[in-house]
Amino acid sequence: MANGYFQFKQFTIHQQRCAMKVGTDGTLLGAWAQASEAPCRILDIGTGTGLIALMMAQRFPQAQVTAIDIDEGAVCQARENVAALPFAERVHVVKADVLTLEDAEKYDSIVCNPPFFEDSLTCPDPQRTEARHTVTLGYRQLMEAAFRLLSDDGRFSVIIPSDCRARLESEAHLRGFFVSRVCSIQTTPAKAPKRYMIELRKQPVNEVDTTNGVLESSPQKRSEWYHELTKEFYIK
């Protein structure tokens, strides 16, 4: 990956003005999160470069995608990335705070790679602090906003570090969400899960869909699971 951009099969992500660069977390969530195949509305909270929004737009060609961020640099960068797309008319980048976002129509799918460092020292760089720490968007606030904006049969999907799972799920349950899908992510088969992708819904499910993913089958070699999940995006 060059420092300034990341090339995918159908789009290029430029990232010079964003605190958080393209990474595995965002790519995983963009490839894993679900939405209906029928015309639907998707919201990406804290879009950054626009990566997850663009992945969802590619996967769901009938969707209208709204990508929001509170950082002006990220919004400008995401708009530039969207403008180069053949499906740019379906992706709308807005400078907005999800805590005050109002929309007449609910969203069928909401995705978020949320800030996750709680109760830890912040970074001297204010932009990076805002992107990585929950100083502006805690899990309780995130759940409140997502519940308000999600349709009754919609899906809310996030990716979080393993040590944040209990706290996030607790806040989700308090707000009225039910866990419907969980995917644990291991770097290698021998290591404990490093991340969890979690899908939340407003209605309980008969059985939670639980899966496990491993990123590397051997050092520096993508596993078959990772390859299959991301094959429509990664060039190699």
Side-chain angles (χ1 to χ4, degrees), residues 88-99:
E89 72 282 354
R90 294 192 293 107
V91 184
H92 313 282
V93 182
V94 181
K95 186 178 187 295
D97 186 339
V98 70
L99 301 181

Side-chain angles (χ1 to χ4, degrees), residues 51-68:
L51 170 64
I52 297 174
L54 299 192
M55 293 180 72
M56 295 296 282
Q58 177 182 323
R59 291 176 58 212
F60 301 100
Q62 301 301 316
Q64 292 290 323
V65 182
T66 299
I68 65 171

